[in-house]
Amino acid sequence: MTLSSQEQKQYSRHLILEDIGGIGQLKLKKAKVLVVGAGGLGCPVLQYIAAAGVGTIGIIDHDKIDQSNLQRQILYTHNDIGNYKAIVAANRLSLLNPFLDFKVYTELLSKENALELFSKFDIVIDGSDNFPTRYLVNDACVITNKPLVFGSIFKFEGQVSVFNYKKGPTYRCLFPNSPKSNQVPNCSEIGVLGVLPGIIGTLQANEALKIICGIGDVLSGKLLAFNALSLKQTLLSFEKNTSISINSLDNNDGFSCEYSIPVKELVFLDYKNQQANFNLLDVRTQAEHHEFNIGGLHIPLNELSLRLEEVPQSKNLLVYCKSGMRSKSAVQILQNTGLKNELFSLKGGLMSSF
């Protein structure tokens, strides 16, 4: 494998770097990297590994572009709303670097496809935004023996680490068990500073390039925590937990990247057209409910299991929250109690209803 004259022009600033040069650039060209998620973290990761010349880039994301994404997911524009992120990202990055091979997957990552998919790549970069996917990605990387570049964001803070590097510590060495489903909100429910995923995602891309080129100190056994408001950075060291054994994806903490019981969803317009047939249940916090609501009973999600007797059963029930995530969780709780009325989650939550 060699670099064409056009590739040499494209990567000239790498080629004159002593620690990369032609050998390092060929390593990048030969590398196969899978990015899980083409959202806030995935966008900067994809931009920089594509610009650097990673030869084969896989993108898996089943989500479509929403206007609320544009505040931080800077690969996309208003013209892209409603289209698959993975497809739009690959098309746009091909304009940045036409010398790359993109593998696009618009299906949901699951325990059924993770192992086969990960086996096709050298490195996995996790840009997901939820705990079920993070544990699934970690465990699949351990089983397929792939290094995992991890990143996470929360409001104004972010974290970066590299797991399973040369059989080093994994995500479960830091966090052995996942929190209960939907106990921790995602950025659609609590917000995130728009530039933060750019900072964290760029750091993830940096770790991937270091691994491929064999340069620098990889963040294996170390967790970098970054605060965007104070610019404080903390480096936490941790050891491999040899008591943890990961041999299959059969027991992913009881989690699935999908809801185990199908949840019916209803768009707001359909609700309005048959409003007389429904009771409403708001499962947001007291502060959110006080600021604005569309009526109905209010029971915060964390209190629902203790207040089931208050839930009306005289009509169909439409459960709502800000983004549609907590309402799905609430419907699952109610389904497990054997309520006889039909249960629905407001699709997209209040954010997409007006």
Side-chain angles (χ1 to χ4, degrees):
M1 182 180 288
T2 59
L3 298 174
S4 68
S5 60
Q6 287 299 309
E7 286 176 304
Q8 290 178 33
K9 289 181 180 179
Q10 184 102 359
Y11 309 129
S12 62
R13 298 304 188 271
H14 270 178
L15 296 176
I16 60 177
L17 270 177
E18 182 178 345
D19 290 339
I20 296 182
I23 294 176
Q25 195 62 50
L26 284 175
K27 289 180 180 179
L28 290 168
K29 184 174 181 177
K30 294 176 183 177
K32 299 178 181 180
V33 175
L34 175 67
V35 179
V36 178
L41 292 172
C43 281
V45 167
L46 287 165
Q47 285 173 294
Y48 276 99
I49 65 172
V54 172
T56 301
I57 297 176
I59 310 172
I60 180 166
D61 195 320
H62 74 293
D63 199 12
K64 293 182 179 180
I65 298 161
D66 183 82
Q67 187 174 356
S68 65
N69 301 146
L70 303 182
Q71 166 252 13
R72 63 201 175 282
Q73 299 178 22
I74 57 175
L75 267 177
Y76 313 123
T77 71
H78 276 261
N79 293 333
D80 301 317
I81 291 173
N83 296 318
Y84 281 108
K85 293 180 181 180
I87 294 175
V88 174
N91 290 339
R92 190 140 295 139
L93 293 168
S94 295
L95 300 176
L96 170 67
N97 193 338
F99 308 112
L100 311 182
D101 181 20
F102 290 95
K103 308 292 185 183
V104 176
Y105 309 91
T106 56
E107 66 262 33
L108 188 74
L109 182 69
S110 67
K111 66 180 182 181
E112 283 74 28
N113 62 17
L115 297 181
E116 180 181 359
L117 179 59
F118 285 19
S119 66
K120 300 176 181 178
F121 294 88
D122 305 318
I123 298 172
V124 177
I125 303 179
D126 185 7
S128 64
D129 64 354
N130 62 85
F131 286 102
T133 304
R134 289 172 187 164
Y135 282 90
L136 174 63
V137 170
N138 176 80
D139 294 356
C141 281
V142 172
I143 293 170
T144 57
N145 194 28
K146 307 295 179 180
L148 167 61
V149 182
F150 166 80
S152 69
I153 52 176
F154 183 81
K155 293 185 178 180
F156 301 99
E157 299 180 348
Q159 298 177 340
V160 183
S161 188
V162 176
F163 300 121
N164 203 46
Y165 178 66
K166 297 182 178 179
K167 299 188 181 297
T170 76
Y171 184 60
R172 287 187 184 272
C173 297
L174 266 181
F175 310 107
N177 299 302
S178 179
K180 293 182 179 180
S181 180
N182 292 306
Q183 274 191 342
V184 181
N186 59 29
C187 68
S188 66
E189 296 172 334
I190 47 83
V192 62
L193 182 67
V195 300
L196 180 62
I199 296 168
I200 300 302
T202 303
L203 290 172
Q204 287 181 272
N206 183 57
E207 290 304 306
L209 299 185
K210 285 157 57 179
I211 293 170
I212 294 167
C213 295
I215 58 177
D217 296 322
V218 175
L219 276 176
S220 176
K222 300 173 184 176
L223 181 75
L224 175 66
F226 173 82
N227 185 297
L229 296 183
S230 65
L231 296 186
K232 181 180 179 180
Q233 298 183 59
T234 304
L235 197 60
L236 170 71
S237 297
F238 60 98
E239 302 290 334
K240 184 177 178 67
N241 187 339
T242 56
S243 67
I244 295 176
S245 179
I246 302 171
N247 301 310
S248 73
L249 303 178
D250 292 336
N251 183 14
N252 195 36
D253 291 327
F255 268 133
S256 169
C257 292
E258 295 181 289
Y259 290 90
S260 56
I261 302 175
V263 172
K264 295 180 182 179
E265 293 184 285
L266 195 70
V267 298
F268 187 73
L269 182 59
D270 288 343
Y271 159 70
K272 292 293 289 183
N273 290 335
Q274 45 185 319
Q275 189 170 350
N277 299 324
F278 283 88
N279 288 314
L280 291 174
L281 173 62
D282 181 358
V283 294
R284 298 173 300 157
T285 65
Q286 184 65 43
E288 289 174 297
H289 180 79
H290 180 74
E291 182 178 355
F292 172 76
N293 67 81
I294 57 173
L297 178 66
H298 173 236
I299 304 178
L301 179 61
N302 62 354
E303 300 177 14
L304 184 58
S305 297
L306 302 176
R307 299 172 59 183
L308 293 174
E309 71 282 355
E310 300 177 36
V311 178
Q313 301 186 47
S314 57
K315 301 178 182 179
N316 296 333
L317 184 68
L318 179 63
V319 185
Y320 69 91
C321 66
K322 182 177 181 180
S323 68
M325 294 296 292
R326 284 172 287 178
S327 58
K328 285 184 179 180
S329 180
V331 169
Q332 277 209 299
I333 292 172
L334 295 173
Q335 284 175 326
N336 290 330
T337 66
L339 291 179
K340 301 302 181 183
N341 49 336
E342 280 204 273
L343 306 170
F344 297 84
S345 170
L346 181 61
K347 187 172 183 178
L350 294 178
M351 292 194 305
S352 63
S353 301
F354 301 97

